[in-house]
Amino acid sequence: YETTMQSVQRSLQRMNCGYIDVLQLHDPEFLLGMPMTSSSEKNGMEMLLTETIPALLECKTKGWTKGLGITGYPLEVQHEILVRCGETFGGDDGMVVVFDQSLVYCHCNLHDMSLFRDRSFSISERIRRDSSNGDCDYDTDIRPTTITTTAQQSFAKFCEQANINLMCAAPLSMGLLTNTGPPSWHPATPSLKEACIEAAELCRRRGVVDDDDGGNTNNNININISSLAVLFALSQREVGCTLIGMKNVEEVDVAADLAVRFRDVDFDFDDGSDGCDEEGVHGQEERQQRW
């Protein structure tokens, strides 16, 4: 508790600001995997629920932050923490959503759409939000909107129903979806790395076609797998923000050019639907054709 409070105060002083927009509980899966030590009789989840998260809530009460977020790779870990927080801090009359935002990575990519397709997550009927402003409802005099569900669902749908803002990072899957390939430390399996290399080569070959004489001619189509991956990630309307790592001005310009292309994309579909298929992914094929 004290370590978290001191860390936030130190950050405010270093940045010379009055508050932090969002405080993130970062990579809690590493804490959950740690055993109890001689200095603490609490396991990882107990430490979060009795020390770290109460400190984050206190920071929000003091006005040191406007929102609380959670980040990490395993979707099941985030889901467990979000549900346990509701059970712990919601009181006897119902549960509330403690976190305002969830940041995930490498689950909204060309090769991995588990953010939408893994339907192993559920939300309690008692998890709720004050529908007037989206803030957590701790006042029993306020009648919040109750969220109900009868089936397992994706993590994206879980966040939507709980009014948790969803953000995604690493649209290039930490270097997998690039022409140069991933770094040596990348945890992907050899078969996935090979498949991504083949996909990048396929994109490059699409820029050259056979002519009638059996030779090759350039068809002036420049297909870059990284650009394709970014466009794919940006097209997911359930995701409020996509975070992209960039190391130089050239990469910033490329990313900005890709984002600008969405100004001309019409997300209204002629059949009156929202373009959502059975997997919860909105109109990907139609949008790809429009690109």
Side-chain angles (χ1 to χ4, degrees):
Y1 182 94
E2 291 300 330
T3 300
T4 300
M5 298 295 287
Q6 293 171 4
S7 176
V8 174
Q9 288 180 305
R10 183 166 58 249
S11 296
L12 289 170
Q13 294 172 356
R14 288 175 174 176
M15 295 187 291
N16 192 28
C17 60
Y19 66 90
I20 298 170
D21 288 309
V22 180
L23 280 178
Q24 300 278 9
L25 177 63
H26 183 58
D27 285 349
E29 61 266 27
F30 295 104
L31 177 62
L32 297 187
M34 294 176 59
M36 292 182 292
T37 63
S38 57
S39 60
S40 175
E41 296 182 354
K42 299 177 181 178
N43 61 31
M45 181 62 76
E46 291 173 336
M47 183 70 70
L48 289 176
L49 295 176
T50 62
E51 302 283 347
T52 308
I53 295 173
L56 294 175
L57 289 170
E58 180 66 14
C59 289
K60 191 173 182 180
T61 300
K62 290 179 176 293
W64 296 353
T65 183
K66 299 296 183 181
L68 301 178
I70 182 171
T71 76
Y73 178 77
L75 300 179
E76 61 274 13
V77 170
Q78 286 205 30
H79 178 261
E80 180 183 2
I81 292 173
L82 292 170
V83 171
R84 291 288 300 274
C85 281
E87 296 171 347
T88 302
F89 303 104
D92 296 334
D93 63 329
M95 299 198 301
V96 295
V97 178
V98 172
F99 288 93
D100 306 284
Q101 173 258 313
S102 167
L103 172 61
V104 303
Y105 65 96
C106 293
H107 291 296
C108 184
N109 304 92
L110 286 170
H111 66 86
D112 185 341
M113 288 296 287
S114 52
L115 181 64
F116 302 96
R117 293 177 177 170
D118 181 356
R119 296 176 178 269
S120 60
F121 305 97
S122 61
I123 185 171
S124 169
E125 294 186 1
R126 300 168 62 203
I127 291 183
R128 59 189 191 167
R129 280 282 184 143
D130 176 6
S131 59
S132 61
N133 56 21
D135 292 334
C136 291
D137 170 32
Y138 294 99
D139 188 346
T140 56
D141 294 331
I142 298 176
R143 297 182 62 83
T145 299
T146 299
I147 302 166
T148 60
T149 187
T150 57
Q152 298 292 94
Q153 59 199 332
S154 68
F155 187 76
K157 182 61 68 174
F158 169 85
C159 290
E160 177 186 343
Q161 289 191 314
N163 198 22
I164 298 173
N165 296 295
L166 183 61
M167 302 171 64
C168 290
L172 306 185
S173 199
M174 300 190 298
L176 273 178
L177 300 172
T178 63
N179 286 326
T180 56
S184 58
W185 51 260
H186 200 287
T189 62
S191 60
L192 178 56
K193 292 180 180 179
E194 182 62 29
C196 290
I197 292 173
E198 292 178 3
E201 179 60 28
L202 176 63
C203 287
R204 285 193 294 267
R205 291 202 305 266
R206 285 292 300 271
V208 178
V209 297
D210 292 334
D211 59 24
D212 293 336
D213 297 327
N216 291 332
T217 180
N218 194 324
N219 64 3
N220 295 320
I221 298 178
N222 182 19
I223 301 178
N224 183 293
I225 193 171
S226 297
S227 297
L228 188 64
V230 171
L231 287 170
F232 180 84
L234 292 177
S235 72
Q236 310 308 320
R237 288 192 295 170
E238 297 87 349
V239 178
C241 179
T242 298
L243 301 183
I244 305 174
M246 297 164 284
K247 64 179 180 292
N248 53 49
V249 175
E250 180 182 0
E251 292 185 358
V252 173
D253 290 338
V254 171
D257 289 341
L258 293 172
V260 165
R261 294 173 64 176
F262 279 84
R263 292 185 308 179
D264 302 322
V265 175
D266 179 12
F267 288 105
D268 293 326
F269 293 84
D270 296 335
D271 61 1
S273 70
D274 62 0
C276 183
D277 62 20
E278 293 181 353
E279 302 296 342
V281 182
H282 285 279
Q284 295 171 1
E285 293 183 359
E286 182 167 342
R287 286 202 296 279
Q288 289 169 353
Q289 292 174 359
R290 292 179 182 182
W291 296 338

